[in-house]
Amino acid sequence: MILADWIILALLLIFALLGMLLGFGKGLKIFTGGIFGVAISIFVCYAVGGLIINIGFIQSALMNMRSAIAAKDNGFCDFLLTIHIDIIVYYVALFIIVQILRIIIVRIIASIAEINNIVLIIFNKTLGIVLFLGVLTLLTLFVFQMIYLISGGVESSFYTSTLAGSKLKLDWLYEHNPFMTIIKVIRIELPVKL
């Protein structure tokens, strides 16, 4: 086994122990709170914002807002229409709603997961281990992606010097990183250096 295998094994053990000690409920609070929670909410707004903007009452509310601003007919209102203040207000309102829903859903799930019952305690600890190991996997893939992007053309030396011959198949994971697949496709289709 190479050094990278031992490092990953140590991280797997640490993350599994953290998952078992904290459980799913507390782990979910950690990973969906603070800056992570804001990032999750922004991603959700980005993902669903374009879908629900076409709902009838939202479209009519946005049109009413644009009409009311256009009726004022002054320079500041023209500026607001130029920057599409209606869309900005829509996404700010959507972000606030998603934040509130995220907090409510996380608290409900965490409350259920932390019920003091032997079956739920075992379930909570098991899901905690799965959650923390999943986070470790995502972090590893993200680190591999950053190494690929930062190194430019040197990723092959990182691969050969650090990951080649890994018993845990880290070399395979580096080559087949789903985060890097999109970057490789963009590099092939667009001859622009990222």
Side-chain angles (χ1 to χ4, degrees):
M1 286 187 27
I2 61 173
L3 178 62
D5 288 337
W6 290 108
I7 292 171
I8 288 295
L9 283 175
L11 287 173
L12 283 169
L13 181 64
I14 291 168
F15 272 69
L17 286 173
L18 280 173
M20 188 176 70
L21 291 173
L22 294 175
F24 182 74
K26 289 181 183 168
L28 192 62
K29 286 179 188 175
I30 290 169
F31 293 123
T32 60
I35 193 72
F36 294 120
V38 172
I40 290 169
S41 295
I42 289 171
F43 178 76
V44 169
C45 289
Y46 171 75
V48 271
L51 295 174
I52 62 174
I53 198 168
N54 293 324
I55 295 175
F57 74 92
I58 294 175
Q59 278 295 318
S60 64
L62 293 175
M63 290 300 289
N64 289 341
M65 184 187 302
R66 286 187 70 78
S67 299
I69 293 171
K72 299 292 182 190
D73 196 28
N74 61 35
F76 180 69
C77 291
D78 291 340
F79 170 74
L80 291 178
L81 289 173
T82 303
I83 63 168
H84 296 281
I85 192 67
D86 55 333
I87 303 298
I88 294 170
V89 169
Y90 164 72
Y91 274 103
V92 168
L94 182 63
F95 177 77
I96 292 169
I97 292 168
V98 168
Q99 281 280 85
I100 292 169
L101 287 175
R102 178 187 56 80
I103 291 168
I104 291 170
I105 290 169
V106 166
R107 287 194 179 165
I108 289 171
I109 292 172
S111 298
I112 292 170
E114 294 175 353
I115 291 176
N116 198 7
N117 177 334
I118 189 69
V119 174
L120 287 177
I121 290 173
I122 293 170
F123 190 67
N124 184 27
K125 300 295 182 184
T126 305
L127 281 180
I129 293 170
V130 170
L131 174 67
F132 275 78
L133 291 179
V135 168
L136 176 63
T137 303
L138 289 175
L139 286 174
T140 303
L141 292 173
F142 181 72
V143 167
F144 284 173
Q145 179 189 18
M146 290 300 105
I147 290 169
Y148 181 85
L149 289 174
I150 291 170
S151 64
V154 190
E155 67 270 357
S156 62
S157 68
F158 169 77
Y159 173 80
T160 56
S161 66
T162 311
L163 299 177
S166 169
K167 298 288 185 200
L168 298 177
K169 300 296 182 192
L170 295 175
D171 48 356
W172 182 89
L173 185 64
Y174 182 80
E175 288 178 336
H176 298 91
N177 185 348
F179 292 163
M180 289 193 308
T181 304
I182 188 71
I183 294 167
K184 290 177 182 177
V185 168
I186 290 172
R187 281 190 177 176
I188 290 169
E189 291 180 2
L190 303 171
V192 177
K193 185 168 179 122
L194 293 176

